[in-house]
Amino acid sequence: MAGFLAAALGFTALLYGFGWAFRPDQTPAAPVSAAKAEELVRVEASRRKAETLDLAHPPVIARAVDYAAPGPQPWHPKGEAPVLAELVAEGRLPPVAERTGPEPVVLEGVDGIGRYGGTWYRLVNSLTDFTTVYWRLSGSNLVRWSPQGYPLVPHIAKGWVVSPDFRAFTFELRRGMRWSDGHLMTADDILFWYEHEVKYFNAQPKFLRVGAT
């Protein structure tokens, strides 16, 4: 009995030791600074605007531009995040115009060009809500939703054609797109995904199934 109690106490002490060693950081967070009056006014104006959307005239984010137009164009890439501008200045990244390629996606927010920086506070109710950030908001697809859903607009694909019988979809990719490591992104990458991942794991995506069931 004494040996059993000693082993139990030793195991308990071991658990407490692990708990202490791997406990989360409980340092109190720095207090959030109060929002400036003009920022609160801007937020309230945006909230009122969102509550009075004109459904007959939905906001347009994607911009159709003429990529063959000669000379400088107002949509040519100019700005970038400050941290990336620092890397360009250090010679560790090429200029933003070279990184985006000759046929970039052109978007413009309903309130104009956005600004970098700030803190995004987001309330989540479940793990699914939390993971939405990286599986729904952070990915790049061939097409993307408009702000209020339809119509679908180009994204990685510059355009597409649907056959009369709706059995063949032909997508035209943008020229000059690259992966984060600098390699060109082409139709071969999509073919590799289908041939060596989808078919290998027998995991046909829902969007390739009839009725998406």
Side-chain angles (χ1 to χ4, degrees), residues 108-121:
E108 184 178 357
V110 292
D111 294 323
I113 302 299
R115 60 184 177 85
Y116 292 99
T119 303
W120 182 15
Y121 295 100

Side-chain angles (χ1 to χ4, degrees), residues 15-16 29 44 58 85 87 103 107 117 121 125 166 169 187 209 212:
L15 290 179
Y16 270 101
E44 185 59 30
L87 296 177
E103 297 179 343
L107 307 173
Y121 295 100
N125 296 319
F166 299 100
F169 290 70
R209 305 176 192 169

Side-chain angles (χ1 to χ4, degrees), residues 31-54:
V32 179
S33 58
K36 297 180 180 180
E38 58 269 21
E39 184 176 351
L40 292 176
V41 172
R42 186 166 57 250
V43 170
E44 185 59 30
S46 297
R47 182 180 293 113
R48 289 196 301 270
K49 186 175 181 180
E51 293 173 351
T52 57
L53 288 177
D54 184 356

Side-chain angles (χ1 to χ4, degrees), residues 166-187:
F166 299 100
R167 295 179 62 88
F169 290 70
T170 304
F171 291 91
E172 180 184 4
L173 301 180
R174 300 177 186 276
R175 293 187 299 118
M177 289 190 306
R178 296 179 181 274
W179 295 96
S180 57
D181 61 2
H183 285 80
L184 285 173
M185 191 276 185
T186 68

Side-chain angles (χ1 to χ4, degrees), residues 4 70 110 122 133 172 177 204:
F4 175 78
V110 292
R122 184 172 184 269
V133 173
E172 180 184 4
M177 289 190 306
Q204 192 175 41

Side-chain angles (χ1 to χ4, degrees), residues 13-190:
L14 183 63
L15 290 179
Y16 270 101
F18 271 109
W20 181 87
F22 297 101
R23 71 189 189 284
D25 183 10
Q26 298 180 353
T27 304
V32 179
S33 58
K36 297 180 180 180
E38 58 269 21
E39 184 176 351
L40 292 176
V41 172
R42 186 166 57 250
V43 170
E44 185 59 30
S46 297
R47 182 180 293 113
R48 289 196 301 270
K49 186 175 181 180
E51 293 173 351
T52 57
L53 288 177
D54 184 356
L55 298 181
H57 303 86
V60 178
I61 301 297
R63 296 287 188 260
V65 299
D66 182 6
Y67 295 111
Q73 299 295 318
W75 54 265
H76 282 166
K78 303 178 185 68
E80 59 187 331
V83 64
L84 298 181
E86 294 176 4
L87 296 177
V88 173
E90 296 171 3
R92 298 168 61 185
L93 273 181
V96 62
E98 295 182 19
R99 302 200 309 271
T100 53
E103 297 179 343
V105 179
V106 180
L107 307 173
E108 184 178 357
V110 292
D111 294 323
I113 302 299
R115 60 184 177 85
Y116 292 99
T119 303
W120 182 15
Y121 295 100
R122 184 172 184 269
L123 177 67
V124 298
N125 296 319
S126 66
L127 179 62
T128 302
D129 286 346
F130 180 77
T131 56
T132 297
V133 173
Y134 63 79
W135 74 266
R136 177 173 291 175
L137 303 180
S138 303
S140 295
N141 304 300
L142 291 176
V143 298
R144 60 173 286 146
W145 297 105
S146 293
Q148 292 176 229
Y150 287 100
L152 296 178
V153 294
H155 199 49
I156 287 181
K158 186 172 66 173
W160 64 91
V161 176
V162 183
S163 65
D165 60 0
F166 299 100
R167 295 179 62 88
F169 290 70
T170 304
F171 291 91
E172 180 184 4
L173 301 180
R174 300 177 186 276
R175 293 187 299 118
M177 289 190 306
R178 296 179 181 274
W179 295 96
S180 57
D181 61 2
H183 285 80
L184 285 173
M185 191 276 185
T186 68
D188 289 335
D189 296 298
I190 299 176

